[in-house]
Short mmCIF file of all heavy atoms in Angstrom, two decimals:
data_model
loop_
_atom_site.label_atom_id
_atom_site.label_comp_id
_atom_site.label_asym_id
_atom_site.label_seq_id
_atom_site.Cartn_x
_atom_site.Cartn_y
_atom_site.Cartn_z
N PHE A 81 37.67 11.48 1.07
CA PHE A 81 38.79 10.77 1.66
C PHE A 81 39.29 9.57 0.83
O PHE A 81 40.41 9.12 1.01
CB PHE A 81 38.42 10.25 3.06
CG PHE A 81 38.21 11.34 4.06
CD1 PHE A 81 36.94 11.70 4.46
CD2 PHE A 81 39.29 12.02 4.61
CE1 PHE A 81 36.75 12.70 5.39
CE2 PHE A 81 39.11 13.02 5.54
CZ PHE A 81 37.84 13.37 5.93
N GLY A 82 38.41 9.04 0.00
CA GLY A 82 38.69 7.78 -0.70
C GLY A 82 37.85 6.70 -0.05
O GLY A 82 37.92 6.52 1.17
N ALA A 83 37.07 6.01 -0.83
CA ALA A 83 36.13 5.00 -0.30
C ALA A 83 36.83 3.93 0.52
O ALA A 83 36.27 3.41 1.49
CB ALA A 83 35.34 4.38 -1.43
N GLU A 84 38.06 3.60 0.18
CA GLU A 84 38.78 2.55 0.89
C GLU A 84 39.12 2.93 2.33
O GLU A 84 39.42 2.06 3.16
CB GLU A 84 40.06 2.16 0.14
CG GLU A 84 41.16 3.21 0.15
CD GLU A 84 40.95 4.39 -0.80
OE1 GLU A 84 40.00 4.37 -1.61
OE2 GLU A 84 41.74 5.34 -0.71
N LYS A 85 39.05 4.23 2.66
CA LYS A 85 39.37 4.67 4.02
C LYS A 85 38.18 4.61 4.97
O LYS A 85 38.34 4.74 6.18
CB LYS A 85 39.93 6.09 3.98
CG LYS A 85 41.29 6.15 3.31
CD LYS A 85 41.84 7.55 3.36
CE LYS A 85 43.19 7.61 2.68
NZ LYS A 85 43.73 8.98 2.71
N LEU A 86 36.98 4.42 4.42
CA LEU A 86 35.78 4.36 5.27
C LEU A 86 35.74 3.01 5.98
O LEU A 86 35.74 1.96 5.34
CB LEU A 86 34.51 4.54 4.44
CG LEU A 86 34.38 5.84 3.65
CD1 LEU A 86 33.03 5.89 2.96
CD2 LEU A 86 34.57 7.05 4.53
N ARG A 87 35.72 3.03 7.30
CA ARG A 87 35.74 1.79 8.10
C ARG A 87 34.32 1.26 8.24
O ARG A 87 33.62 1.56 9.20
CB ARG A 87 36.36 2.07 9.48
CG ARG A 87 37.82 2.43 9.44
CD ARG A 87 38.69 1.26 8.98
NE ARG A 87 38.49 0.06 9.76
CZ ARG A 87 39.17 -0.26 10.85
NH1 ARG A 87 40.14 0.52 11.27
NH2 ARG A 87 38.90 -1.37 11.50
N LYS A 88 33.90 0.47 7.29
CA LYS A 88 32.57 -0.11 7.29
C LYS A 88 32.48 -1.35 8.17
O LYS A 88 31.40 -1.87 8.40
CB LYS A 88 32.16 -0.45 5.86
CG LYS A 88 32.09 0.76 4.97
CD LYS A 88 31.84 0.39 3.54
CE LYS A 88 31.96 1.62 2.66
NZ LYS A 88 32.08 1.30 1.27
N ASP A 89 33.63 -1.81 8.67
CA ASP A 89 33.66 -3.01 9.50
C ASP A 89 33.38 -2.72 10.97
O ASP A 89 33.28 -3.63 11.78
CB ASP A 89 35.01 -3.71 9.37
CG ASP A 89 36.18 -2.81 9.76
OD1 ASP A 89 36.14 -1.61 9.42
OD2 ASP A 89 37.13 -3.30 10.39
N ILE A 90 33.24 -1.45 11.32
CA ILE A 90 32.98 -1.06 12.71
C ILE A 90 31.52 -0.63 12.82
O ILE A 90 31.06 0.23 12.07
CB ILE A 90 33.91 0.09 13.14
CG1 ILE A 90 35.37 -0.35 13.03
CG2 ILE A 90 33.58 0.56 14.55
CD1 ILE A 90 36.37 0.77 13.27
N ASP A 91 30.78 -1.21 13.76
CA ASP A 91 29.37 -0.88 13.97
C ASP A 91 29.23 0.55 14.49
O ASP A 91 29.75 0.87 15.56
CB ASP A 91 28.76 -1.87 14.97
CG ASP A 91 27.28 -1.67 15.16
OD1 ASP A 91 26.85 -0.52 15.39
OD2 ASP A 91 26.54 -2.66 15.09
N PRO A 92 28.52 1.42 13.74
CA PRO A 92 28.38 2.83 14.15
C PRO A 92 27.72 3.01 15.52
O PRO A 92 28.09 3.91 16.26
CB PRO A 92 27.50 3.44 13.06
CG PRO A 92 27.59 2.52 11.91
CD PRO A 92 27.86 1.16 12.47
N ASP A 93 26.76 2.15 15.87
CA ASP A 93 26.08 2.28 17.16
C ASP A 93 26.99 1.86 18.30
O ASP A 93 27.01 2.49 19.36
CB ASP A 93 24.80 1.46 17.18
CG ASP A 93 23.77 1.98 16.17
OD1 ASP A 93 23.74 3.20 15.96
OD2 ASP A 93 23.04 1.17 15.60
N LEU A 94 27.75 0.79 18.09
CA LEU A 94 28.69 0.36 19.13
C LEU A 94 29.80 1.39 19.35
O LEU A 94 30.28 1.57 20.46
CB LEU A 94 29.30 -0.99 18.78
CG LEU A 94 28.35 -2.18 18.85
CD1 LEU A 94 29.07 -3.47 18.43
CD2 LEU A 94 27.76 -2.34 20.23
N THR A 95 30.18 2.07 18.28
CA THR A 95 31.19 3.12 18.39
C THR A 95 30.71 4.23 19.31
O THR A 95 31.45 4.71 20.17
CB THR A 95 31.53 3.67 17.00
OG1 THR A 95 31.94 2.60 16.16
CG2 THR A 95 32.64 4.70 17.07
N VAL A 96 29.45 4.63 19.15
CA VAL A 96 28.88 5.67 20.01
C VAL A 96 28.84 5.18 21.45
O VAL A 96 29.25 5.90 22.37
CB VAL A 96 27.45 6.04 19.54
CG1 VAL A 96 26.78 6.94 20.55
CG2 VAL A 96 27.50 6.72 18.18
N ALA A 97 28.38 3.96 21.66
CA ALA A 97 28.30 3.42 23.03
C ALA A 97 29.68 3.31 23.67
O ALA A 97 29.87 3.66 24.85
CB ALA A 97 27.62 2.05 23.01
N HIS A 98 30.64 2.85 22.89
CA HIS A 98 32.01 2.71 23.41
C HIS A 98 32.58 4.09 23.79
O HIS A 98 33.19 4.25 24.85
CB HIS A 98 32.89 2.02 22.37
CG HIS A 98 34.28 1.77 22.84
ND1 HIS A 98 34.59 0.80 23.76
CD2 HIS A 98 35.45 2.38 22.52
CE1 HIS A 98 35.89 0.81 23.99
NE2 HIS A 98 36.42 1.77 23.25
N GLY A 99 32.35 5.07 22.93
CA GLY A 99 32.82 6.42 23.22
C GLY A 99 32.17 6.99 24.47
O GLY A 99 32.84 7.60 25.30
N ALA A 100 30.87 6.77 24.63
CA ALA A 100 30.17 7.26 25.81
C ALA A 100 30.69 6.58 27.07
O ALA A 100 30.86 7.22 28.10
CB ALA A 100 28.66 7.03 25.66
N ALA A 101 30.97 5.29 26.98
CA ALA A 101 31.48 4.56 28.13
C ALA A 101 32.87 5.06 28.51
O ALA A 101 33.20 5.18 29.70
CB ALA A 101 31.53 3.07 27.83
N ASN A 102 33.69 5.39 27.55
CA ASN A 102 35.03 5.92 27.82
C ASN A 102 34.97 7.30 28.44
O ASN A 102 35.79 7.62 29.31
CB ASN A 102 35.87 5.96 26.55
CG ASN A 102 36.37 4.59 26.17
OD1 ASN A 102 36.51 3.70 27.00
ND2 ASN A 102 36.63 4.40 24.89
N ILE A 103 34.03 8.11 28.04
CA ILE A 103 33.86 9.43 28.62
C ILE A 103 33.41 9.31 30.07
O ILE A 103 33.84 10.04 30.94
CB ILE A 103 32.86 10.29 27.81
CG1 ILE A 103 33.48 10.66 26.45
CG2 ILE A 103 32.46 11.54 28.58
CD1 ILE A 103 32.53 11.31 25.51
N ARG A 104 32.57 8.34 30.32
CA ARG A 104 32.03 8.10 31.69
C ARG A 104 33.13 7.74 32.67
O ARG A 104 33.09 8.09 33.83
CB ARG A 104 30.98 6.99 31.61
CG ARG A 104 30.40 6.60 32.93
CD ARG A 104 29.28 7.52 33.31
NE ARG A 104 28.65 6.98 34.51
CZ ARG A 104 28.43 7.68 35.58
NH1 ARG A 104 28.74 8.95 35.63
NH2 ARG A 104 27.87 7.13 36.62
N ASP A 105 34.16 6.99 32.19
CA ASP A 105 35.25 6.55 33.08
C ASP A 105 36.06 7.69 33.55
O ASP A 105 36.48 8.58 33.46
CB ASP A 105 36.16 5.55 32.36
CG ASP A 105 35.48 4.19 32.26
OD1 ASP A 105 34.51 3.95 32.98
OD2 ASP A 105 35.94 3.39 31.43
#
Side-chain angles (χ1 to χ4, degrees):
F81 293 105
E84 70 283 353
K85 293 183 180 180
L86 301 183
R87 294 293 305 269
K88 298 173 187 165
D89 58 321
I90 300 173
D91 184 310
D93 295 327
L94 290 178
T95 304
V96 171
H98 183 73
N102 283 335
I103 290 171
R104 177 83 173 129
D105 285 344

